[in-house]
Amino acid sequence: ETGVTQTPRHLVMGMTNKKSLKCEQHLGHNAMYWYKQSAKKPLELMFVYSLEERVENNSVPSRFSPECPNSSHLFLHLHTLQPEDSALYLCASSQLTSGNSDTQYFGPGTRLTVL
Amino acid sequence: TQLLEQSPQFLSIQEGENLTVYCNSSSVFSSLQWYRQEPGEGPVLLVTVVTGGEVKKLKRLTFQFGDARKDSSLHITAAQPGDTGLYLCAGGDFGNEKLTFGTGTRLTIIP
């Protein structure tokens, strides 16, 4: 496997379900990101992990809970979601140098539908 | 809050024509990246420009970073149906990990 992989690619869940999205990067990067992409809106940064520590939480509702157990894996745990949370969830990774943003490499995304 | 406005929002042209997509902001960025995204997939990096005034060429695509590092343009010559997709610009922030993404330009090339 190369690059950034995400599973599942598609997910349909009810508002009372609990599910998790998984991201794995095979690039040796030290930072990982979760983004939300909704129709007609710019990509929204949700969470950033740098060296496995969370450094950014863009006022995301607590029904989204990230986990970064190591530099290669990132999870997004979902519970009691709302229909407006339906979107494409994208994972990305990058190699940070001196704290500056660098090229981010994206996974294919998980298309989430909340019923 | 940093904002990146892209124009046009939608563009549909005939194969073989030339086009330019713009990415503008009032903020200064450390770098500027362009991505192309196809339906059901994540964005794929096309280029990164880091120096004000920099011009990079990738085959039929020409990218320019404004002298003041606040704007960028993407010019495509002799567009082909394979160029169809959502084009996103993204600005890098000084001293941190964040990228600010633009509003996107959806390009359709008609055979």
Side-chain angles (χ1 to χ4, degrees), chain A residues 10 15 25 38 40 44 49 52 75 81 90 92 107 110:
Chain A
H10 301 272
M15 289 192 285
Q25 60 97 359
S38 307
K40 300 181 181 179
E44 300 172 66
Y49 276 83
E52 301 156 45
F75 295 90
L81 294 192
L90 291 161
T110 295

Side-chain angles (χ1 to χ4, degrees), chain A residues 24 60 90 103 106:
Chain A
E24 185 172 359
V60 178
L90 291 161
T103 301
F106 285 82

Side-chain angles (χ1 to χ4, degrees), chain A residues 9 37 96 99-101 103-104, chain B residues 35 37 40 42 45 95-97:
Chain A
R9 293 294 308 276
Q37 188 174 36
L96 297 179
N100 288 318
S101 56
T103 301
Q104 292 184 17
Chain B
Y35 292 81
Q37 184 178 18
L45 179 73
N96 67 54
E97 310 83 359

Side-chain angles (χ1 to χ4, degrees), chain A residues 45-100:
Chain A
L45 178 65
M46 300 175 72
F47 299 102
V48 179
Y49 276 83
S50 174
L51 300 173
E52 301 156 45
E53 288 191 15
R54 190 161 76 190
V55 295
E56 182 83 24
N57 175 359
N58 269 5
S59 303
V60 178
S62 59
R63 56 186 184 268
F64 295 92
S65 174
E67 179 190 0
C68 187
N70 56 61
S71 61
S72 299
H73 294 86
L74 185 64
F75 295 90
L76 188 61
H77 304 298
L78 317 170
H79 64 99
T80 58
L81 294 192
Q82 305 297 312
E84 59 264 30
D85 296 322
S86 298
L88 182 68
Y89 287 84
L90 291 161
C91 173
S93 71
S94 72
Q95 181 63 29
L96 297 179
T97 53
S98 303
N100 288 318

Side-chain angles (χ1 to χ4, degrees), chain B residues 39-53:
Chain B
E41 300 294 330
V44 175
L45 179 73
L46 297 174
V47 77
T48 301
V49 284
V50 297
T51 305

Side-chain angles (χ1 to χ4, degrees), chain B residues 7 12 16 26 40 43-46 55 59-60 64 89 92-93 98 103 110:
Chain B
S7 62
S12 183
S26 57
V44 175
L45 179 73
L46 297 174
V55 176
K59 298 183 180 178
R60 295 176 295 102
Q64 185 165 9
C89 64
D93 204 0
K98 286 182 61 177
T103 48
I110 304 165

